[in-house]
Amino acid sequence: MLRTALAGLRAHRLRLLLTSLAIMLGVGFIAGTFVLNDTVQAGFDQRVTADAGKVDVAVLPAGPDGTIPREVLERVRALPGVTEAQGLIRASAPVLGKDGKAAGNLPTTALSVVRGPLDRTDVVSGTGPGTDDRAAVLDENTAKAEGFRIGDPITVLGPGQERHTFRLVGLIDTGVDQLLTYTGAVGFTPAVAQRMTGAKGYAEIDVAGTVSKQAVAAATGGVYTVKTGAELAEDLAAAAGVQSRMLTLGLLMFGVVAMMVAALVIYNTFNILVAQRTREMALLRCIGATRGQVFGSIVLESAVVGLLASALGLLIGYGLATLTLTVLGALDAPLPTDAAVSLTPLTIATGLAVGVVVTMGAALLPARSATRVPPIAALRSQPEEQTFRTGLARAGFTALFLVAGLGATVAGAFVLEPGEPALFAVMGGGTLTFLAVLILGPVLVRPLSALVGWLPRRLFGVPGRLAVDNSGRNPRRAATTTVALTIGVTLMTLITVVTASTRLTMTAKLDEQFPVDYLLASQERDSVIPRSVAEELRGRPELSSVGQIREVETRVAGKRLAVGTFSGGIDPFVTAGSMNGFGAGQVALDEATAERVGARLGGTVTMRTERAGTVSLKVVALLDGDQSSLPPVTVAEQPFESYFGAVPDSRVMVTIADGVPAGTARAVVDAAAAPYPTVLVSSSTEVRGQFDETLDMLLMIITGLLGLAILISLLGIANTLSLSVHERTRESALLRALGLSRPQLRRMLSVEALVLGLIGALVGVVLGVAFGWAAMRAMLNGALFSAPVGQIVLFVVLSGVAGVLAAVLPGRRAARASIVDSLATG
């Protein structure tokens, strides 16, 4: 039996290749993900080791915002065995771009660049500041974004917003530090860093020498966190690896989808192969093969296919990972892409195991069917046509999965509050519903074939009628063929609906939360905008309204919260109570804050103030936190002044007057904000444009990744058609003998593939639209539905076209076959 199975594989190399393609792509994607993760993680480890390997002991603040005073550094330096100890400064110091405005969306982080063995700054171009108090270094990304080159002057704001000019002497790589990746970094000598940030202490103390961790901990009084260099490296690697792990998990999700589609394709392939080899199995049984030997031969065949395909898939994965790293490097992605790409033993074992297990698992049911072939079947001249009946078991399981799936989906979309539990309920409901459709697939094929084939039946004459009849003749095979494509189209449609609905919902929310044309604010939304800016804008005829918001942080009901006031045309979005006659002794809270502090409408809350001590305020209104732009705790303007003094504005909201061109109004707003470099001007159009750009990029990436599942499913259709053509060799020859021409035979097979592709696409579209909408309701409160009809129609058309393309080679093969030889094969 072993020799027979291996001889069968050698005799049908094309069949072996077609069967292997799907699993090769699936394993390739998963292996590529592991290789990519291993390479990026190795890059992180290399950088972390080089970074923290210079440190023997590190002292860190106890809290995230804490600092370490200078006297602690002096005590550590005095310890026996300490050869070097340096305090590192890290705090905000905005760098101004060439336009005079603060660079980036967040204030640049200023660093102290120390000299000697504890220098952990990676200077990639130029030099460090050394002892030059007029020199500075900048991270590569900020320099590139703002157009700075070595030798250029750069302007940095001090703690009092005063401007200081430095000469750019070098560019640094922020390495694995994710915070610096987002904020950017500017480096000075330690003395200048302290002066530019106004830091009262150090963010970290690095120690070199033979001193122990316990001795350093004792010297610091046990108040601070003390770690060895190895522990520091481990923590840095863990923090940096979060981004890598999220990337890996995301890619693996698509890999699992690809493997699931590949498993369906392989199951269908082996199912058809077993049906075609009925006489072969029966003859083996006639000459003494047992059921176990027949079962074993099919399983052995699947193991060989799985092993060969998985080995090739590993090579494909290696290539995919190398290509991905090259693209990431070209795009300056914040990931280390310079480590050597390699296939680790774990990746090889995982890829081979996944491929072999999936292939053998997909072949088990067909192998079991092969054992049921009676020896008498060897006497039949033609294999028996498989018939399909809807049994009670199929109907029962379908009803069970459908009721459970729809129930979970309805609960997640309409009963539970939007959030993770609701989304998990919708995902679970979608999975169960898809299983119900999978079980019911053979029942749906005939009516769907008649529906989809109505037009082709009339357009393509006799070949069209034959094709539509053929597509529904073997419902089980047709359903299994189309389900792989259904998965791909379902996911593509779902992602498209979620993206379009998110865009529509967020645009509506932006219009509600950004009901103005321009917003003036600092990078950290601090109260730093002089009131004169709003007063100047209020007097301009180009603008119809100017609103002001001021904020401070203080304790309200024992919790530290933002307290503020407003003036000008700002809608507070009151959900309960009223702000008519809003004045002294009153407060408005947004709903989330009211719940957090345990306040209710008509109740009172206490608030600590700078000038009036602790005051008691009556809650007269509750605000919609999703729509209102007011601070979480809002008091009237005059009482706010009496509580906290003349606080500058934190935000100024500007609306253009009717008929004024946007460019003219923008020039007026920019001119008012120009003298203040940290006051940035943004518009709702810009915010919406950035959001749309991000969504478009995500959609493009996800579409590319799901394209793999689509490709595998199309290989499955091509494979099924090829095997089906082989199975129907005699039938095709009879049609040719009765007058069907070669072009008509090719047209018949193309229309059959078109119908199968459209069936899979239509089921996928229905499921994708329904569960895309349910997912939106589970994710966002007040979600709006949007289904881009053009894109969805394009998915259906492309599925049909892809099906036709998949039928080209099988159709050519069938048309070229000799009529006499084909009739003789029966």
Side-chain angles (χ1 to χ4, degrees):
M1 287 302 296
L2 175 62
R3 287 196 299 271
T4 301
L6 294 177
L9 286 171
R10 287 195 300 271
H12 302 285
R13 285 186 288 272
L14 179 61
R15 184 175 74 195
L16 174 65
L17 175 63
L18 290 172
T19 309
S20 304
L21 275 175
I23 206 71
M24 280 167 54
L25 291 173
V27 171
F29 197 93
I30 288 181
T33 301
F34 278 113
V35 172
L36 181 64
N37 179 66
D38 291 342
T39 306
V40 171
Q41 197 59 52
F44 277 133
D45 292 342
Q46 286 174 11
R47 292 192 180 186
V48 168
T49 302
D51 188 26
K54 302 175 181 179
V55 180
D56 293 304
V57 181
V59 183
L60 304 170
D65 299 320
T67 57
I68 307 170
R70 182 172 181 79
E71 54 264 27
V72 174
L73 174 61
E74 298 303 329
R75 290 204 300 270
V76 171
R77 280 177 173 166
L79 288 172
V82 173
T83 57
E84 182 87 15
Q86 294 284 358
L88 306 183
I89 291 172
R90 176 185 283 208
S92 296
V95 173
L96 302 188
K98 291 187 176 181
D99 60 356
K101 289 295 184 180
N105 295 320
L106 294 169
T108 313
T109 300
L111 309 172
S112 58
V113 180
V114 302
R115 302 173 65 204
L118 288 174
D119 180 9
R120 292 161 55 190
T121 308
D122 184 11
V123 179
V124 293
S125 181
T127 64
T131 58
D132 187 355
D133 286 350
R134 304 308 307 163
V137 294
L138 204 58
D139 72 281
E140 292 177 294
N141 293 334
T142 302
K144 182 179 179 181
E146 299 298 329
F148 288 123
R149 296 183 178 181
I150 293 176
D152 287 352
I154 62 171
T155 303
V156 186
L157 298 183
Q161 302 299 299
E162 68 279 4
R163 300 184 184 216
H164 300 266
T165 302
F166 297 89
R167 183 170 56 90
L168 183 61
V169 297
L171 301 179
I172 64 173
D173 183 356
T174 55
V176 298
D177 195 314
Q178 300 301 301
L179 174 64
L180 298 184
T181 299
Y182 294 122
T183 67
V186 58
F188 309 102
T189 63
V192 174
Q194 195 282 325
R195 189 168 68 246
M196 290 299 299
T197 61
K200 305 300 182 186
Y202 301 114
E204 182 179 328
I205 294 176
D206 289 347
V207 184
T210 57
V211 65
S212 68
K213 172 184 172 180
Q214 291 74 17
V216 174
T220 60
V223 179
Y224 306 100
T225 303
V226 180
K227 297 180 179 179
T228 64
E231 290 170 341
L232 178 65
E234 207 173 289
D235 290 349
L236 286 172
V242 169
Q243 191 170 357
S244 169
R245 284 192 295 275
M246 291 302 292
L247 175 66
T248 303
L249 287 174
L251 289 174
L252 278 177
M253 284 178 59
F254 292 101
V256 168
V257 171
M259 288 305 301
M260 184 167 62
V261 174
L264 287 168
V265 169
I266 293 210
Y267 164 75
N268 198 35
T269 301
F270 274 99
N271 219 14
I272 296 172
L273 288 176
V274 168
Q276 288 178 354
R277 293 157 64 188
T278 299
R279 291 185 68 192
E280 179 186 326
M281 301 297 174
L283 282 171
L284 288 172
R285 293 290 309 283
C286 281
I287 61 175
T290 65
R291 288 189 174 187
Q293 287 176 317
V294 172
F295 181 86
S297 69
I298 302 294
V299 172
L300 174 64
E301 187 173 333
S302 69
V304 172
V305 170
L307 190 62
L308 292 175
S310 300
L312 291 172
L314 287 172
L315 297 178
I316 292 173
Y318 183 88
L320 283 173
T322 305
L323 178 64
T324 304
L325 287 168
T326 303
V327 173
L328 289 174
L331 295 176
D332 292 327
L335 293 170
T337 58
D338 48 0
V341 183
S342 62
L343 278 170
T344 64
L346 178 62
T347 300
I348 294 173
T350 303
L352 291 177
V354 167
V356 172
V357 168
V358 168
T359 307
M360 292 179 67
L364 286 178
L365 285 177
R368 184 167 171 266
S369 299
T371 64
R372 297 176 177 176
V373 176
I376 193 67
L379 301 177
R380 298 185 185 127
S381 62
Q382 279 286 92
E384 189 177 356
E385 185 77 22
Q386 289 188 344
T387 57
F388 172 78
R389 294 182 181 84
T390 307
L392 288 176
R394 181 180 296 271
F397 278 115
T398 300
L400 177 65
F401 284 138
L402 200 58
V403 170
L406 293 179
T409 304
V410 169
F414 298 98
V415 179
L416 299 174
E417 284 294 315
E420 283 190 9
L423 186 58
F424 284 138
V426 169
M427 289 171 62
T431 303
L432 291 172
T433 305
F434 190 84
L435 286 174
V437 173
L438 184 63
I439 297 171
L440 199 62
V443 180
L444 298 174
V445 163
R446 281 202 178 102
L448 286 176
S449 175
L451 174 67
V452 170
W454 182 84
L455 188 60
R457 181 186 285 272
R458 283 155 180 76
L459 286 179
F460 297 104
V462 172
R465 292 196 294 274
L466 288 171
V468 174
D469 291 340
N470 279 336
S471 63
R473 194 173 71 184
N474 193 328
R476 191 192 303 274
R477 179 202 299 157
T480 315
T481 302
T482 58
V483 75
L485 184 62
T486 299
I487 293 175
V489 175
T490 297
L491 292 173
M492 293 284 285
T493 306
L494 186 147
I495 295 298
T496 304
V497 169
V498 167
T499 304
S501 300
T502 301
R503 196 190 309 273
L504 181 64
T505 303
M506 297 311 293
T507 298
K509 287 183 179 292
L510 279 173
D511 289 340
E512 293 170 354
Q513 297 177 14
F514 210 128
V516 294
D517 295 303
Y518 299 107
L519 173 69
L520 284 72
S522 70
Q523 289 171 316
E524 294 186 314
R525 298 293 193 266
D526 296 332
S527 293
V528 295
I529 307 174
R531 297 188 183 190
S532 58
V533 173
E535 294 306 319
E536 178 185 343
L537 292 172
R538 194 168 277 123
R540 297 301 300 253
E542 296 90 349
L543 308 175
S544 63
S545 70
V546 177
Q548 297 163 264
I549 292 179
R550 303 178 194 113
E551 292 179 79
V552 297
E553 273 202 0
T554 189
R555 299 197 77 81
V556 178
K559 300 186 183 297
R560 193 156 189 82
L561 297 169
V563 178
T565 189
F566 68 100
S567 62
I570 297 176
D571 192 339
F573 288 96
V574 177
T575 59
S578 172
M579 294 183 71
N580 293 329
F582 195 49
Q586 298 179 332
V587 67
L589 306 174
D590 71 32
E591 293 171 313
T593 302
E595 185 176 346
R596 182 181 171 191
V597 301
R600 57 183 178 81
L601 189 65
T604 60
V605 294
T606 58
M607 181 175 72
R608 186 181 299 170
T609 69
E610 293 178 5
R611 298 188 173 187
T614 300
V615 298
S616 180
L617 303 173
K618 182 180 179 181
V619 181
V620 297
L622 297 179
L623 310 177
D624 184 344
D626 291 331
Q627 299 186 62
S628 175
S629 54
L630 296 181
V633 181
T634 302
V635 296
E637 188 175 11
Q638 291 305 320
F640 183 84
E641 300 250 338
S642 66
Y643 297 151
F644 303 103
V647 176
D649 294 330
S650 62
R651 283 171 285 166
V652 176
M653 300 178 173
V654 180
T655 305
I656 303 174
D658 292 338
V660 176
T664 303
R666 178 63 186 253
V668 170
V669 176
D670 284 340
Y676 311 101
T678 59
V679 178
L680 305 180
V681 180
S682 58
S683 70
S684 56
T685 305
E686 291 172 355
V687 174
R688 191 177 294 114
Q690 292 171 359
F691 179 75
D692 285 344
E693 187 179 333
T694 303
L695 269 184
D696 290 339
M697 184 180 296
L698 283 174
L699 181 61
M700 182 177 67
I701 293 170
I702 291 172
T703 301
L705 293 172
L706 287 178
L708 181 68
I710 300 286
L711 176 61
I712 293 174
S713 64
L714 293 179
L715 283 172
I717 291 179
N719 200 10
T720 303
L721 279 171
S722 180
L723 294 169
S724 179
V725 166
H726 175 73
E727 180 182 323
R728 293 184 297 180
T729 300
R730 183 181 175 85
E731 177 186 314
S732 299
L734 282 171
L735 289 172
R736 290 284 314 284
L738 290 172
L740 200 69
S741 66
R742 286 181 175 179
Q744 285 179 318
L745 181 61
R746 288 198 297 268
R747 196 177 310 143
M748 180 190 78
L749 293 172
S750 296
V751 173
E752 184 178 340
L754 170 69
V755 170
L756 291 176
L758 291 178
I759 289 173
L762 285 179
V763 175
V765 163
V766 171
L767 291 173
V769 170
F771 287 97
W773 172 227
M776 277 302 301
R777 289 190 60 90
M779 286 190 294
L780 289 175
N781 233 328
L784 302 176
F785 175 71
S786 175
V789 176
Q791 290 185 42
I792 293 173
V793 169
L794 182 63
F795 291 156
V796 176
V797 171
L798 289 178
S799 297
V801 170
V804 172
L805 291 176
V808 170
L809 289 178
R812 290 180 63 187
R813 181 183 173 191
R816 287 178 176 178
S818 164
I819 296 176
V820 175
D821 290 344
S822 297
L823 287 172
T825 60

